[in-house]
Structure formats: structure tokens, C-alpha cells
Amino acid sequence: MNLEISNLGKVYRGNVRGLVDFSLSVNTGVLGLVGPNGAGKSTLMRILATVTKPTTGYASWNGSDIGKHPDSVRKVLGYLPQDFGIYPNLNAVEFLAYLAAARGLTGKSARARINQLLELVNLTDARKRRLGSLSGGMKQRVGIAQALLNNPELLIVDEPTAGLDPEERIRFRNLLSELSGDRIVILSSHIVSDIEAAATSIAIMNKGRLIAYDSPEGLLKRVEKSVWEAVIPTSTLPELRKSHVVGSTIRTNEGSRVRVVGDNPPSHGAHSVTPTLEDAYLYLLDGDQGGKADD
């Protein structure tokens, strides 16, 4: 399995750039797409899911251009868009049976697959509840079940944890990790911790462009000796934010303990600390310069 993305560009009406010269080679595992709102993540995923076409460049699945031959990837694709919709008056079994029929699965094979997926996403006990009565996390699990109906080789999920409570987010991230063994999973989020928990490789995007692509370990190495902690007077915090990238702050009885990302320490009392992926993300994002793009 191989997904090649070569010099993809997308320009919307009004000369708004959604992607700019984006290239990437993806193999089996979980690729995490991370970036701020407007980074181009959803644009990229819609192109890979054959929902929209690029303005320039191409993407290929096992050597076949998916723009020219979309069926080459559609037959092995599972897709959970950010704005996944449901039929609120149907229950999970009815909804999945309807979608299975639309994809050519009928009879015993469809029923067996639906039962298997409801167990996988931990919805067996809620199989006959109306979808409109389910929690946000349960609806998302129905969404991932529909994306897996055809046992896809390429699974694309766009901001799947948005709006979920912490317990549902952890459950969903674990599920995606379990699914990645024999397929390519592309997971998009602006929440670094969601990407960190599941991804085997990470692509950082900003303003429609790829600014970094590496393993989690590789990204951490890039920011070694560039993360600092210091305790400063709380009154000086606004000024520090103007001149440095502040990742986090904790109020103490001595002042504010700040975590700062940058090549130089923010104060004489600052000391170097072990970086996290969020530190690497902030560091690389701060160092990026590019044009505007919309997601």
C-alpha cells in the first residue's frame, strides 16, 4: 500500500489558496495531520477522498492517479468527514444497513459485518437506539463504523475528536491505533495530544503548506535544547508573550512558571527541559513563514 502526493495545489474562488505545492509519501500506519485552523488539512483530505479535485499536482494510490481514476481508491476507501451526518430517526443497525447496501453489501454478509463493527466500536448495547439520542462520542463511533464497512485499506478521518469529552477522545484515539496495523490511516486534528497518542508519523501543516514531516521521535530531536522553563513575575507575562512563544503557564506562590519555546532562554533564570511534541509543533509553526490559505 502506497499513497503518493505530488505537488498538490488547490485554489478556491477569489484566489484563496487551500494547498500550496504539497508533497508526501505515505505507507502503512497512522499519519497525523496537525496544524491550526486554516492550515489546509480538510482540503487535503477531501482531495484524497476524491470529494474534490486539485488545481495542480496529483495524488496516486498504488501508482494510479486518483484524480483521473477515482474508483481506484474509492473501492478501498473509508472516510469520516468533519461534518459527518446521520439520519436521527434510524438506529445504528438500520443506518449501517442502508449504507452497506449503497456500497454493494447485502444479506448475511452485511449483517455479519455490521455486528462485527458494532462490537468493535463498543456499540452493541446501543444498536437499536435512535441515532438522534446518542451522545457525540457514540455518533462518532457510528461514523467510524460506517467508514469501516468495506474494510478499507485507506481510512481518512477528519477532526474526529472535536467536541468529545476526554474519556470519549481517549477511547476514539485507541480505536484508531488498533485499526492501523494493516492499512493507512490519515488522522487530522488541531489538537496535538490526539495526534501524539495515535500517529506513527506526523505532518505539520500551515497556510496550505507542509512545513515538517517526520516520526514523533524525529520531531522531538528537532527541538532539543530549544525548550525552557522559568519562574517569572506574573506581571511580566504579557510582555513575555509578545517576544517569545509561551507554551504553557502555571501560577505558583513565587510567580508564573512558564514553558517557552525558542533558540535562546527567555531569562537568566531559565533552564532547558525535555521537549514534548506540542513544543516541537509550536517551535516549527513559529519558524514558518508563508502565504495565506483556507482549510
Side-chain angles (χ1 to χ4, degrees), residues 26-203:
V26 188
N27 295 301
T28 304
V30 179
L31 167 64
L33 296 179
V34 64
N37 291 331
K41 304 184 298 296
S42 292
T43 294
L44 174 63
M45 299 180 99
R46 286 194 295 266
I47 291 173
L48 298 179
T50 73
V51 175
T52 189
K53 290 187 176 183
T55 307
T56 58
Y58 67 91
S60 65
W61 174 255
N62 293 334
S64 179
D65 187 327
I66 65 176
K68 297 178 179 178
H69 309 286
D71 287 342
S72 65
V73 71
R74 285 175 180 169
K75 62 185 178 182
V76 298
L77 172 69
Y79 181 39
L80 176 59
Q82 187 175 356
D83 55 353
F84 169 68
I86 59 169
Y87 294 95
N89 292 322
L90 297 182
N91 62 42
V93 173
E94 294 168 337
F95 179 66
L96 293 174
Y98 168 74
L99 293 178
R103 299 176 192 182
L105 294 173
T106 58
K108 291 183 179 179
S109 62
R111 289 193 294 272
R113 182 62 175 162
I114 290 168
N115 288 336
Q116 180 186 34
L117 290 173
L118 288 174
E119 183 174 355
L120 177 68
V121 300
N122 195 28
L123 282 177
T124 300
D125 292 341
R127 56 189 290 118
K128 292 300 180 71
R129 286 178 54 185
R130 290 173 56 251
L131 296 182
S133 70
L134 300 182
S135 68
M138 295 171 80
K139 290 175 183 175
Q140 287 290 70
R141 282 186 269 155
V142 173
I144 197 67
Q146 66 80 27
L148 292 169
L149 277 168
N150 60 335
N151 194 24
E153 296 177 8
L154 174 62
L155 177 62
I156 298 175
V157 286
D158 190 1
E159 296 283 359
T161 61
L164 302 188
D165 63 42
E167 184 179 357
E168 288 283 6
R169 283 175 56 198
I170 292 170
R171 184 182 292 116
F172 200 86
R173 291 181 332 210
N174 291 342
L175 174 60
L176 291 178
S177 296
E178 293 168 6
L179 293 171
S180 66
D182 56 353
R183 56 174 57 88
I184 293 175
V185 178
I186 301 179
L187 164 65
S188 162
S189 180
H190 63 279
I191 303 172
V192 178
S193 59
D194 286 347
I195 298 296
E196 183 176 14
T200 52
S201 60
I202 298 173

Side-chain angles (χ1 to χ4, degrees), residues 215-233:
S215 66
E217 295 80 9
L219 290 176
L220 288 172
K221 287 181 181 178
R222 297 192 192 195
V223 75
E224 283 182 349
K225 299 181 180 180
S226 294
V227 185
W228 314 89
E229 279 194 358
V231 176
I232 64 171

Side-chain angles (χ1 to χ4, degrees), residues 200-281:
T200 52
S201 60
I202 298 173
I204 300 176
M205 299 179 64
N206 190 34
K207 301 172 184 176
R209 297 174 300 106
L210 177 67
I211 63 172
Y213 176 50
D214 211 332
S215 66
E217 295 80 9
L219 290 176
L220 288 172
K221 287 181 181 178
R222 297 192 192 195
V223 75
E224 283 182 349
K225 299 181 180 180
S226 294
V227 185
W228 314 89
E229 279 194 358
V231 176
I232 64 171
T234 300
S235 61
T236 65
L237 186 56
E239 196 63 30
L240 180 67
R241 292 187 186 277
K242 293 179 182 179
S243 57
H244 293 77
V245 178
V246 179
S248 64
T249 61
I250 299 175
R251 298 296 177 89
T252 73
N253 57 4
E254 299 176 346
S256 291
R257 178 177 290 114
V258 295
R259 190 176 183 93
V260 177
V261 179
D263 293 327
N264 300 305
S267 66
H268 292 298
H271 62 279
S272 178
V273 293
T274 302
T276 66
L277 277 176
E278 184 168 347
D279 295 325
Y281 169 70

